Amino acid sequence: MKTSLSLRESYPCWTLLPCSGGPCGGCSGENLDPLPDPFILQPPAFKPVVPYVTTIFGGLRDGKMVMLQGEVPLDARRFQVDFQCGCSQHPRPDIAFHFNPRFHTTKPHVICNTLHAGRWQAETRWPRLALQRGAGFLLLFLFGNEEVKVSVNGKHFLHFHYRLPLSRVDTLGVSGDVSLKAIAFLSSNPFVEGGSEYPAGHGLWPGQTITVRGLVLPDPKDFTLSLRDEAAHVPVTLRASFADRTLAWISPWGRKQLVLAPFLFYPQRFFELLLLCQEGGLKLALNGQGVGATSLGQQALERLRELRVSGSVRLYCVHC
């Protein structure tokens, strides 16, 4: 996948400059359009402790996705993922979609249901459960106008028609026998392969942050993040190599400076990468952990015009 981002035309606030207008919601005195979907995606949660409850920023609507990565313990009996209408404990909130894998029966299966006004509705049972004790998993919930579709490890597993309005859902709850590695809130991939280049803003300034969220593809080789100036020079390149599991800054002359930190990218694993601009260079953080920095003069930072990501990743959200 190769994606070039500067995006002054398509999404005015995905630029390398603080916004001077456009649909970012941060400009006062104007009646602005609603924020485009990629902007309201909330930060992922890494290794959340179960039971886990969190607000879904902006609620759910057609096209939104929620992804869970984790592992089923060897002694697991059951766990549940609840898309709730609120987070109160008393009274118990309505649950628009209850996803409940059960492993302790002769034939493991999933129960789907809806809780309304304190009463469970007629349950739906789905056999041939693709989740297994002692194994990792990737669960993806894709929400449509009338139903939710669920895939397990990349394969479609079930669909469930809503019994309560999707617009009421604003909370995610996970409980039971499960170990979570990450929870991500996604929209349909807005970046097509070979994306066009657009005129960008006016460079990076101290305090500005670039956020890149995505998913590593199966059987990855490498991926590269580069920042380019108006003359197409590339003063900043960050390259992840899966062959030797290294992350390195690459100079314009090809010199490699290894990032001396654990390699945090894995196949089919979600990631969040942050670049924080500061006086004299850029700081790097992965999955919420600071892992290093690279030096770059302020004049070079101010000349940067384009962010480009290529390689074995699928992007879901980029903020500049």
Side-chain angles (χ1 to χ4, degrees), residues 224-292:
T224 300
L225 181 152
S226 60
L227 290 165
R228 300 169 180 245
D229 62 22
E230 55 192 2
H233 297 146
V234 188
V236 181
T237 300
L238 182 68
R239 180 173 298 157
S241 173
F242 290 88
D244 54 10
R245 298 185 60 76
T246 59
L247 185 64
W249 301 101
I250 309 298
S251 74
W253 306 277
R255 183 180 177 183
K256 181 185 295 187
Q257 176 190 347
L258 291 177
V259 176
L260 301 179
F263 192 78
L264 300 179
F265 299 99
Y266 299 91
Q268 296 183 294
R269 185 79 61 86
F270 190 80
F271 69 88
E272 179 182 65
L273 184 151
L274 302 178
L275 287 174
L276 172 63
C277 179
Q278 59 179 2
E279 294 286 351
L282 296 166
K283 283 187 175 181
L284 171 67
L286 291 174
N287 299 348
Q289 302 180 34
V291 295

Side-chain angles (χ1 to χ4, degrees), residues 50-74:
V50 178
Y52 180 76
V53 178
T54 187
T55 297
I56 301 173
F57 294 178
L60 289 179
R61 62 182 179 279
D62 180 32
K64 199 158 186 178
M65 296 181 286
V66 177
M67 184 180 72
L68 276 69
Q69 290 177 304
E71 184 173 310
V72 180
L74 287 171

